[in-house]
Amino acid sequence: MNAPTSLDLTTLMGTGLAVVDGALRVVWLNPALGEILDVGPRTALGQEVSGLMREPSLPGQLGRALAEQRAFHLRNVTLGITRGRELVADLAVQPLDNGLLLLELHPLAAGLDAASTPLSATLRGFAHEVKNPLAGLRGAAQLLQRRVVEADLKQLAAMVIAEADRLAALADGLLRHGGAARIEAVNVHELLERLEALVEAQPDAPRIRHDFDPSLPDSLGDPDRLLQVLLNLARNATEAGAASILLRTRVEHGARLGERTVRSALRIDVVDDGPGVPDALRDTLFQPLVSGRPDGTGLGLALSREIAREHGGELRFTSRPGETVFSLFLPMERHHD
């Protein structure tokens, strides 16, 4: 059975929506709800809604909504486990024509981060669009690498190829269902050395300084995604006009990460001497599509915080003119949701 055509535009919305029939089977849902429930839209079609949302009272309440043709709301209910976390949400139910029900799901902060859902959907669309240009970039760099003679130019071409491969892997991760991180041991100082090489290859690169704690053990994480976070921070500092960037590593004891406190966390600081974060952006800086530059996309910091939280960590900042510090916190013990 097809969903009503009036719902076609809702495929573009960030709010999770679904339509169920009189047998309480899913006949349609939009990509945002598929993202929230961690299920593909095609997989969900025909399933009983109780198999997707495991609130025991839900089938009975949906049955009454159909019989009485009345709307209702469920507040702060747990609808099962998805991606290793409890899904806590508000659920609105509205009767439609032809014996159908419209379900509208709003995740709460205690469960999945609602703000991450439309961001993830946006990023997957973006990832799909950049794959072809990345392939062209990689091919051009390979041609240059074969044709140039100077060793330093060959090294720069190799760096372009490596970065194109890394970005293609990130795009593939976003496009895969769930996009799980590739967890392995990560030497954060080697990661920061890669970051330094990438920053110094840019025109008018700022001066890079180090303040490393050599006693730090390896961390656990996806090295490509963590490098992307740090690269976003360094590029933001460069584009803001910083003359120097300090890369600093420390251990933070009793760190607060989200809703929990960990015994110890690795802290990576990216400190720049630029003009600082404008006051008007401080409260919304990590939201998607918020940027302090006319040519900015507003996705870099939103993605960076999402990656930090994916690792059980957090991304924070402090800023004043002449000193802006972005701190990436990663738990030193492996986090299990």
Side-chain angles (χ1 to χ4, degrees), residues 178-303:
R182 176 171 55 88
I183 302 299
E184 60 186 64
V186 179
N187 184 310
V188 295
H189 295 140
E190 290 180 1
L191 206 64
L192 290 168
E193 288 172 2
R194 287 176 62 191
L195 171 68
E196 182 176 0
L198 292 171
V199 172
E200 290 181 338
Q202 301 175 29
D204 302 319
R207 181 168 61 98
I208 303 295
R209 298 181 293 123
H210 305 148
D211 182 4
F212 292 165
D213 179 349
S215 68
L216 289 179
D218 287 352
S219 184
L220 288 172
D222 185 317
D224 286 341
R225 296 193 187 189
L226 293 176
L227 179 59
Q228 188 63 43
V229 172
L230 297 169
L231 190 57
N232 285 340
L233 300 179
R235 282 178 174 165
N236 283 350
T238 301
E239 291 168 358
S244 70
I245 294 175
L246 170 67
L247 303 177
R248 181 169 60 206
T249 57
R250 291 289 188 272
V251 173
E252 185 91 0
H253 298 289
R256 183 74 174 173
L257 303 181
E259 298 299 317
R260 66 195 182 103
T261 299
V262 298
R263 185 168 53 238
S264 56
L266 167 66
R267 192 186 83 227
I268 305 173
D269 296 329
V270 178
V271 187
D272 73 72
D273 59 359
V277 177
D279 289 341
L281 297 182
R282 288 174 182 262
D283 293 337
T284 59
L285 191 62
F286 292 109
Q287 294 181 10
L289 308 181
V290 172
S291 176
R293 304 191 312 275
D295 59 344
T297 64
L299 289 176
L301 286 176
L303 172 60

Side-chain angles (χ1 to χ4, degrees), residues 50-180:
S50 59
L52 299 176
M53 304 179 192
R54 298 179 179 87
E55 162 60 36
S57 69
L58 185 59
Q61 298 207 50
L62 293 179
R64 284 193 295 274
L66 278 169
E68 300 172 12
Q69 286 295 290
R70 63 176 180 86
F72 71 89
H73 290 77
L74 293 177
R75 303 290 185 186
N76 198 30
V77 292
T78 299
L79 298 175
I81 304 293
T82 179
R83 297 182 186 177
R85 302 180 183 182
E86 285 188 340
L87 173 57
V88 181
D90 289 343
L91 179 67
V93 178
Q94 176 68 45
L96 301 174
D97 295 334
N98 303 320
L100 301 175
L101 290 175
L102 174 65
L103 279 58
E104 182 176 342
L105 191 69
H106 297 275
L108 303 177
L112 293 179
D113 184 357
S116 72
T117 298
L119 170 62
S120 298
T122 300
L123 288 173
R124 274 199 293 276
F126 176 74
H128 184 271
E129 293 301 319
V130 302
K131 290 197 70 176
N132 286 338
L134 280 175
L137 178 67
R138 189 186 196 283
Q142 285 180 309
L143 287 175
L144 284 174
Q145 189 179 40
R146 287 198 290 265
R147 293 181 181 180
V148 298
V149 177
E150 294 88 343
D152 57 341
L153 294 180
K154 284 184 176 291
Q155 184 178 359
L156 286 174
M159 184 181 295
V160 172
I161 292 169
E163 281 301 286
D165 289 342
R166 184 178 65 81
L167 291 175
L170 285 169
D172 285 338
L174 289 169
L175 289 168
R176 286 195 307 267
H177 182 62

